Amino acid sequence: MVNQPFFIPSLLISLIAITLVLGFIPRNRWYGIRTAQTLSDERIWYRSNRFGGWAFLLSGMIYFAVAKMIPAPKRPASDLALWGLHLCAFLLPLVTSVVVTLRYVKGLAKQL
């Protein structure tokens, strides 16, 4: 599975997401879900990062599941369609996680 095209990026995103879920990352300007709302309120920071962490962890798990069920060939040029499937399985959940998390932050900022 390590030889799948997006295994390493998915693994890194998942590891980063775990630290967010566990609340290990204090408010800062370099790491985490950084918006004006999250940087202005510690409660919003931790809740948003926990939510975003779960969303990013789920996106990594989706890619791992696709890579396990439909492995890509060792040489991407040998099957471009399959490589494209892996690209979509990596990017679509990741982009969805970003969009959903930003919406969550906006809703949370309005509540608090």
Side-chain angles (χ1 to χ4, degrees), residues 15-94:
L15 291 174
I16 289 168
I18 289 171
T19 63
L20 296 175
V21 167
L22 295 176
F24 288 160
I25 308 303
R27 200 167 29 162
N28 67 80
R29 293 196 174 275
W30 300 280
Y31 179 43
I33 310 300
R34 299 171 319 275
T35 65
Q37 295 94 347
T38 60
L39 292 172
S40 67
D41 187 333
E42 196 157 316
R43 293 175 301 165
I44 295 174
W45 171 266
Y46 283 106
R47 287 178 68 180
S48 298
N49 278 284
R50 182 162 286 128
F51 181 88
W54 280 114
F56 289 115
L57 189 59
L58 179 62
S59 74
M61 295 301 115
I62 289 171
Y63 177 73
F64 294 143
V66 169
K68 183 77 171 164
M69 291 186 300
I70 310 168
K74 292 186 192 231
R75 291 181 30 238
S78 65
D79 193 346
L80 200 54
L82 192 54
W83 195 87
L85 171 75
H86 278 256
L87 178 63
C88 289
F90 173 71
L91 283 181
L92 290 177
L94 192 59

